[in-house]
Amino acid sequence: AQSVTQLGSHLSVSEGALVLLRCNYSSSVPPYLFWYVQYPNQGLQLLLKYTTGATLVKGINGFEAEFKKSETSFHLTKPSAHMSDAAEYFCAVIQNTGFQKLVFGTGTRLLVSP
Amino acid sequence: GAGVSQSPRYKVAKRGQDVALRCDPISGHVSLFWYQQALGQGPEFLTYFQNEAQLDKSGLPSDRFFAERPEGSVSTLKIQRTQQEDSAVYLCASTNSGAEAFFGQGTRLTVV
């Protein structure tokens, strides 16, 4: 079975600082990988996804992630944090059982201070 | 519709009550998923529909949980005899192709 590990339940950064949210996955087959963002009392919004092709994926709001097969990682980065980035971020992998069932990590709450 | 719509947004139930949570997926989306998100946790899979067929219900935590999608569009998640451990946000997602799931805003269920 596939699983996702997100290191750190909370991350605090200053506005303008680099954001790095870590995600490692376990999978016996090439995975589909996702990052979702969740604002308070909201559903999940897709930030970016990796399926095939280019390993550096650019998403919305200036975020990007790089798929590194050798490290089984899919870390999310943003060069300069903005106050509006404060939210919970979830890494997820599709379990390749023939349909698109997502397996999520436990999430990382990003706090941005002025 | 423009997005996935869930109702109600908030539900408070007394322990032992039955509840029904509704999901209106994006029009034309074949696949529909239900997830349960406990406080401070990531969403966990409950069940999956392809059109009206429930193809996987392996994530339903007990036989008190039941889901249906009789006409292949709107889905209802029913929880019978609610317990405190059922308190969570219940998320619905729909997808058609391209491996991108669109989520609703969720229903926050509080069992008191």
Side-chain angles (χ1 to χ4, degrees), chain B:
Chain B
V4 178
S5 177
Q6 292 188 245
S7 60
R9 286 293 316 277
Y10 303 92
K11 176 70 179 177
V12 178
K14 291 184 177 179
R15 192 169 55 183
Q17 271 187 327
D18 297 349
V19 298
L21 313 180
R22 177 188 170 103
C23 173
D24 278 273
I26 293 174
S27 179
H29 276 193
V30 169
S31 300
L32 185 146
F33 299 81
W34 284 98
Y35 291 86
Q36 181 190 56
Q37 185 176 18
L39 188 64
Q41 299 296 315
E44 293 191 354
F45 171 80
L46 292 177
T47 187
Y48 162 67
F49 290 86
Q50 187 176 82
N51 296 306
E52 69 279 4
Q54 188 175 23
L55 299 187
D56 188 327
K57 55 181 180 179
S58 62
L60 296 177
S62 78
D63 58 7
R64 296 186 293 103
F65 286 70
F66 171 77
E68 61 183 5
R69 195 187 184 196
E71 298 179 358
S73 56
V74 171
S75 177
T76 303
L77 176 67
K78 297 179 179 178
I79 308 173
Q80 296 177 326
R81 305 181 303 283
T82 52
Q83 302 295 315
Q84 283 194 318
E85 62 262 28
D86 300 335
S87 295
V89 175
Y90 291 86
L91 294 166
C92 176
S94 70
T95 182
N96 211 15
S97 63
E100 178 174 351
F102 294 86
F103 283 81
Q105 292 185 305
T107 294
R108 181 180 297 277
L109 173 65
T110 303
V111 181
V112 297

Side-chain angles (χ1 to χ4, degrees), chain A:
Chain A
Q2 292 164 326
S3 66
V4 174
T5 301
Q6 291 185 244
L7 289 177
S9 59
H10 290 79
L11 175 67
S12 293
V13 300
S14 299
E15 195 172 19
L18 170 71
V19 176
L20 171 59
L21 300 173
R22 298 181 184 274
C23 173
N24 289 88
Y25 68 91
S26 68
S27 174
S28 57
V29 297
Y32 287 2
L33 293 158
F34 304 80
W35 276 99
Y36 282 87
V37 61
Q38 187 176 37
Y39 297 99
N41 298 315
Q42 298 293 318
L44 299 169
Q45 180 183 6
L46 181 68
L47 275 178
L48 48 79
K49 64 181 179 183
Y50 169 79
T51 53
T52 58
T55 56
L56 181 62
V57 181
K58 294 187 183 300
I60 62 171
N61 302 339
F63 284 93
E64 62 182 36
E66 186 171 11
F67 170 60
K68 292 187 176 180
K69 185 178 179 180
S70 61
E71 298 177 7
T72 62
S73 70
F74 191 57
H75 301 331
L76 181 71
T77 60
K78 182 173 180 177
S80 177
H82 192 273
M83 296 294 288
S84 61
D85 295 326
E88 185 113 27
Y89 291 81
F90 293 95
C91 182
V93 61
I94 276 185
Q95 195 162 355
N96 293 332
T97 57
F99 62 91
Q100 296 145 9
K101 169 181 169 180
L102 288 160
V103 176
F104 287 89
T106 52
T108 299
R109 182 169 298 278
L110 178 65
L111 306 169
V112 183
S113 57

